[in-house]
Amino acid sequence: MAFGIKREELNMWKKRVASGEIAFITHYWHEPRWDGITTVTKVGCSDIAKLEAWCRSQGLDPAYIHRRQPFPHYDLIGRKQLEILRREGYEDQIARFKLEE
């Protein structure tokens, strides 16, 4: 379940994903399997080949893409989340969700 984002933000992410862009959205998240993890960044793109290539370029295994239509996405958590958000220029999401180590 997603927390801490506005409907407009989610709708903009969905629009960008549907148009074939690589789109990022970060939100608060609770998943008992991941102790201490409180956020997730969803990196989505409706063009699966493009999303797979993006994953490989980041050193991520495309096998973990959630291939749910109409919004396929890869979930980033933990250190990799911070590393990639920083590299991709999403300092606003890092600050907003207090992701600094």
Side-chain angles (χ1 to χ4, degrees), residues 23-85:
F24 291 71
I25 192 166
T26 302
H27 61 79
Y28 290 111
W29 179 63
H30 175 72
E31 172 54 63
R33 294 176 297 164
W34 305 105
D35 188 39
I37 300 294
T38 59
T39 62
V40 62
T41 297
K42 295 189 177 299
V43 182
C45 184
S46 61
D47 181 338
I48 296 289
K50 187 175 184 179
L51 186 55
E52 289 173 339
W54 179 87
C55 287
R56 284 189 291 277
S57 77
Q58 302 297 317
L60 303 171
D61 186 348
Y64 293 103
I65 292 172
H66 296 274
R67 297 170 187 269
R68 298 181 200 124
Q69 292 299 332
F71 307 110
H73 64 278
Y74 190 98
D75 290 335
L76 296 173
I77 61 173
R79 286 181 300 159
K80 200 67 166 175
Q81 176 189 24
L82 177 59
E83 172 189 322
I84 291 173
L85 284 173

